[in-house]
Amino acid sequence: MFHAGEQYNALPEKASAIINLRLMPGDSLEEVKGYIEKTIDDEDIKVTIEGSEASGVSAVDSWHFRTIQQSAINVYDEAVIAPYLMFAGSDAKHYDSIAENTYRFLPVQLTSEDLNRMHGTNEHISIENYLKAISFYMEVIREADKEQ
């Protein structure tokens, strides 16, 4: 988001920009700041960083991941559960300091209509999806109990 002048024919006294970035695992806020400063290459422009470091990468060879994987297969018998890089922000980052692994998993089948409503007007999922999500979490409890 750029904030600058109000008129097209007058130079603004001040301008600012907000760049919303998501860090890749392994990158740091300081590295990204350095890259931005190097790209701008102007000492008169001040770069400040707000936010948090990238979340850690959770293990896929743990019983935790296997529990999620098997629970999803128990509810969605044709599902293929595979790790991926989540580009969106999530509250999971708040658990990084107390949990070895933090998995971001939404146990519903989303349609293109669902995606269009996400974080917008009339955001909701179907009753069938809601019931399947409940079934999934029940399976997580059952599967996790087997691991103990």
Side-chain angles (χ1 to χ4, degrees), residues 13-80:
E13 292 180 29
K14 179 176 155 183
S16 65
I18 296 174
I19 304 170
N20 186 353
L21 302 169
R22 302 280 194 264
L23 294 182
M24 295 286 289
D27 289 344
S28 74
L29 291 172
E30 280 304 312
E31 289 171 337
V32 170
K33 179 182 178 187
Y35 177 80
I36 292 169
E37 289 171 335
K38 182 179 174 187
T39 302
I40 293 171
D41 193 26
D42 187 332
E43 291 180 11
D44 291 332
I45 296 176
K46 180 182 172 190
V47 176
T48 58
I49 299 287
E50 293 179 16
S52 55
E53 298 291 346
S55 297
V57 177
S58 298
V60 296
D61 59 353
S62 69
W63 72 267
H64 311 96
F65 184 78
R66 285 192 308 273
T67 295
I68 293 169
Q69 195 172 39
Q70 188 59 55
S71 300
I73 290 167
N74 292 351
V75 175
Y76 299 98
D77 56 345
E78 295 182 17
V80 175

